[in-house]
Amino acid sequence: MRRLPQGPGGPRWGSPRHLPSCSRALLLLLLGGCLGVSGAAARSRRPNVVLLLTDDQDEVLGGMTPLKKTKALIGEMGMTFSSAYVPSALCCPSRASILTGKYPHNHHVVNNTLEGNCSSKSWQKIQEPNTFPAILNSMCGYQTFFAGKYLNEYGAPDAGGLEHVPLGWSYWYALEKNSKYYNYTLSINGKARKHGENYSVDYLTDVLANVSLDFLDYKSNSEPFFMMISTPAPHSPWTAAPQYQKTFQNVSAPRNKNFNIHGTNKHWLIRQAKTPMTNSSIQFLDNAFRKRWQTLLSVDDLVEKLVKRLEFNGELNNTYIFYTSDNGYHTGQFSLPIDKRQLYEFDIKVPLLVRGPGIKPNQTSKMLVANIDLGPTILDIAGYNLNKTQMDGMSLLPILRGASNLTWRSDVLVEYQGEGRNVTDPTCPALSPGVSQCFPDCVCEDAYNNTYACVRTMATLWNLQYCEFDDQEVFVEVYNLTADPDQITNIAKTIDPELLGKMNYRLMMLQSCSGPTCRTPGVFDPGQSLTMPLLEHGPVVVSSHGQCKQMQPLLTASDHLVLNAKDSTRKVLYSS
C-alpha cells in the first residue's frame, strides 16, 4: 500500500503512537491527555477535524459569493457565523492567533517580518510547542496534517529554513514564505521540493487538494485526524486556474457607501488617501477584485473534492469541517485601493462556516466570535481539558451544538502594530514619516504609527467599535455600527463621555488580559462592575469632549480610568 512520507514529528515504530492500545491509553492518562480516551474503540469514536483557511478573503464585500459549493456543502449543512472577527488584520499575526488561541499581545507576533516574530526562532521555541495541533498530536493521539501557507517568513534561512518542521505535525507540506500559485517551493516533511508553472502538476491550490486526498486515502484508520489546509487564494498575485480566467468579466468591486470617499475624521493614514481615486487605481482594484474571485473557484473545487472523499471513505459524518480566512480585505473603501491592516469591518470581519456531528443544518449564529476560538473549539472536540491551556479564546462547541442559556462574550480585542520606518518616503515627501505599502500616486496603506487597539462590542443594545491609536494625537475612532454600518462617521467627539470612558477602560483591560481574564464580562455584560481602580501616580488629562489627548505610548495595563460617583467627571490617568 502506498504511504505518505512521514514528518520528523510523526510516528515511529516503538514510539508512543505505536504502543498497544491499553499501554497508549495509560500513557495519555498519565500525561493528562484528552478525556475519554481508552482503547481503539474510543479513539475511533472521537471526531476528526478539518480546518480550511483562505488568505485575505473578506466577508463584508462579498468574498463568499463565488463559493457556491462551499456554502452548500459546509454552510447549509451546518452553521454560518455572521459575526466572526480576527484580532489582527494581517496574515502572520492572525495565523499565529489561530494556532495558539491567543491575542497578538500574548503570542507576540506583530507583523509579517522575522523582526515582528513571524516564524522567528523565538516563535518556534516558545509558541509552536503549545499550539493546538501540537496538543492534539502529543496529548490526544491525533494524526496531524498540514498543507499550504503557514507563516509568511516560514522557510527563511534565519528561521531554520525549510528543514524546520514545527512540533506536532505528522505530515508537513508547507509553502516557503508567502502565497504563490506557481514557481514556489514546498517543505515536504523538511525536504525542499520546487514547483514550476505547469498547471496540471504545479497549480498550488490543486496540489494542496491532491495531497489532502492522498492523506485521507493512506492515513492510519486507527486514530482520529486533524487536517489544516491553507490555500493561497485569494491573496495576490491572484493567478486563477486557466479554466477560470474568463469568469466574472462583468463584475466590479462593490460601490458601497464608503467606496471612494474621503475618510473624514479618521486617523491621518486614512485621511491621506486621494479622493476621488485616479482612474488607473479604480481599474486596478476592479481587476484585482475579479481575479480574487477567480482564484476562489479552485478553492471551491478543493472543498467539493474533500467532502466527497470524506463521504466515500465513510468519515464525513464523524468529521467537523471549519472554513474561514486569516483576515478581510478592502478594494477602494475610503479611497484606499487594495490591502488589509485597517480597523474597519471590511478588514477584520471574516467568513466562518462549520459543519459536523451534532450541528443542525442551515443554522446562522450571531454570536460574537474570533479566530482565537478555533484552537479551544478543536481541542474541546477532541476532549482535551481546556483549563490546561493558556489560550485566550472560548470553545464554540456549545454554540455549534445549540446550547441554550449560554453565557457568552460581548466584546473582542483587535490590535495591530503598523509597519514602516520613522523616515520620510523620498518618493512621497509630502507625507508624514514612516509610511509603507505605497501606490505610485502616493496613497499608502500603512505606517509605523498605524498602531491601534480596538474593542469591538456587540451586545443587546450596542453595536460599537472603540479604537485608540499609538501616535502623538492618541487619536480615537468610535463607530455606532447600528446606525452607521459603513463606519463613515467617527462619533468620538460626540458620544457620551461616560460611555467613552467605559470603553477606554475595557480596552486597557483587554490589552493586558491573558487566558481566563480575556473572557471576563465586557462593558455591556450584566456582570460588569462599574467600580474601576485608581492609579496612585500619573497626571490627569481631560478634554472637553471626553477624548484622551497627548498620551504616549498607547494605554497599557497600568493605565486606569475613574468615574467619580459624585460629579461623573471623567479622569484618565496614565503612568509617567
Side-chain angles (χ1 to χ4, degrees), residues 102-109 392 413 415 510-514 518:
K102 298 177 182 178
Y103 282 120
H105 70 264
N106 287 327
H107 61 59
H108 307 297
V109 178
D392 303 331
L413 175 68
E415 49 191 351
L510 285 173
Q511 282 187 278
S512 62
C513 77
S514 178
C518 296

Side-chain angles (χ1 to χ4, degrees), residues 277-486:
M277 290 183 286
T278 62
N279 288 335
S280 60
S281 288
I282 293 176
Q283 291 173 2
F284 178 79
L285 68 87
D286 277 339
N287 189 47
F289 189 88
R290 281 189 292 272
K291 288 184 174 182
R292 283 164 49 79
W293 274 19
Q294 291 168 359
T295 66
L296 285 169
L297 293 176
S298 292
V299 177
D300 213 27
D301 292 340
L302 183 158
V303 171
E304 181 183 42
K305 293 173 185 175
L306 191 73
V307 171
K308 285 185 174 180
R309 187 62 57 89
L310 286 167
E311 185 174 27
F312 180 80
N313 291 352
E315 294 174 312
L316 182 60
N317 291 337
N318 194 39
T319 301
Y320 287 89
I321 305 176
F322 293 75
Y323 182 98
T324 191
S325 172
D326 58 1
N327 49 253
Y329 207 73
H330 58 257
T331 45
Q333 283 61 48
F334 303 122
S335 299
L336 297 172
I338 57 162
D339 202 35
K340 49 264 186 176
R341 308 168 195 265
Q342 310 308 331
L343 57 86
Y344 310 105
E345 294 284 281
F346 42 73
D347 283 359
I348 65 172
K349 193 173 184 181
V350 292
L352 178 57
L353 290 66
V354 191
R355 68 170 290 172
I359 305 176
K360 295 179 180 179
N362 288 308
Q363 299 293 302
T364 299
S365 173
K366 297 181 180 180
M367 292 292 199
L368 179 59
V369 302
N371 70 10
I372 57 171
D373 300 330
L374 294 174
T377 302
I378 293 169
L379 289 177
D380 199 10
I381 288 170
Y384 189 74
N385 182 356
L386 297 181
N387 292 327
K388 294 180 178 293
T389 75
Q390 296 298 314
M391 294 182 175
D392 303 331
M394 304 170 67
S395 172
L396 304 178
L397 195 54
I399 298 175
L400 295 173
R401 291 177 172 171
S404 57
N405 300 320
L406 183 65
T407 300
W408 198 252
R409 65 161 70 94
S410 63
D411 57 25
V412 293
L413 175 68
V414 179
E415 49 191 351
Y416 177 70
Q417 182 170 312
E419 292 187 66
R421 294 178 298 123
N422 193 10
V423 295
T424 301
D425 187 335
T427 63
C428 305
L431 293 177
S432 298
V435 294
S436 67
Q437 313 296 318
C438 297
F439 284 80
D441 52 2
C442 287
V443 175
C444 301
E445 295 278 358
D446 207 357
Y448 80 98
N449 70 352
N450 183 39
T451 296
Y452 58 82
C454 306
V455 180
R456 181 67 178 91
T457 293
M458 296 184 71
T460 304
L461 299 177
W462 297 99
N463 186 6
L464 295 174
Q465 186 178 30
Y466 172 91
C467 302
E468 292 181 3
F469 283 85
D470 182 7
D471 59 10
Q472 292 182 345
E473 299 175 284
V474 190
F475 197 82
V476 176
E477 295 188 30
V478 184
Y479 299 97
N480 177 354
L481 283 96
T482 300
D484 180 22
D486 296 293

Side-chain angles (χ1 to χ4, degrees), residues 120-323:
S120 69
K121 291 288 189 179
S122 174
W123 157 267
Q124 294 170 14
K125 179 180 179 180
I126 298 172
Q127 301 298 339
E128 279 186 345
N130 298 303
T131 61
F132 79 84
I135 297 172
L136 281 176
N137 182 252
S138 64
M139 305 302 289
C140 303
Y142 272 65
Q143 303 168 84
T144 51
F145 168 92
F146 181 87
K149 176 179 172 180
Y150 179 57
L151 302 178
N152 294 58
E153 286 296 322
Y154 173 75
D158 291 342
L162 294 173
E163 295 80 12
H164 172 69
V165 177
L167 287 174
W169 294 101
S170 311
Y171 304 93
W172 182 253
Y173 294 79
L175 176 68
E176 180 182 30
K177 295 192 174 181
N178 209 354
S179 284
K180 290 184 177 181
Y181 300 82
Y182 294 109
N183 298 311
Y184 55 86
T185 302
L186 292 177
S187 170
I188 311 297
N189 298 320
K191 295 182 179 180
R193 179 183 295 172
K194 293 185 180 294
H195 281 260
E197 51 189 18
N198 181 341
Y199 169 71
S200 63
V201 294
D202 296 319
Y203 189 69
L204 182 55
T205 306
D206 291 351
V207 168
L208 300 181
N210 292 335
V211 297
S212 300
L213 298 180
D214 280 348
F215 169 76
L216 290 176
D217 286 345
Y218 299 108
K219 63 176 175 57
S220 167
N221 289 325
S222 64
E223 298 161 328
F225 63 82
F226 167 72
M227 303 177 72
M228 183 171 178
I229 307 167
S230 180
T231 74
H235 195 285
S236 62
W238 315 305
T239 309
Q243 66 270 29
Y244 296 133
Q245 290 179 359
K246 293 184 179 180
T247 58
F248 307 123
Q249 290 303 303
N250 296 322
V251 170
S252 300
R255 268 47 172 180
N256 51 353
K257 290 183 179 180
N258 53 24
F259 179 84
N260 200 15
I261 67 169
H262 189 260
T264 306
N265 295 322
K266 288 177 167 52
H267 187 246
W268 76 269
L269 182 68
I270 309 301
R271 298 196 306 266
Q272 57 84 32
K274 293 179 173 61
T275 305
M277 290 183 286
T278 62
N279 288 335
S280 60
S281 288
I282 293 176
Q283 291 173 2
F284 178 79
L285 68 87
D286 277 339
N287 189 47
F289 189 88
R290 281 189 292 272
K291 288 184 174 182
R292 283 164 49 79
W293 274 19
Q294 291 168 359
T295 66
L296 285 169
L297 293 176
S298 292
V299 177
D300 213 27
D301 292 340
L302 183 158
V303 171
E304 181 183 42
K305 293 173 185 175
L306 191 73
V307 171
K308 285 185 174 180
R309 187 62 57 89
L310 286 167
E311 185 174 27
F312 180 80
N313 291 352
E315 294 174 312
L316 182 60
N317 291 337
N318 194 39
T319 301
Y320 287 89
I321 305 176
F322 293 75
Y323 182 98

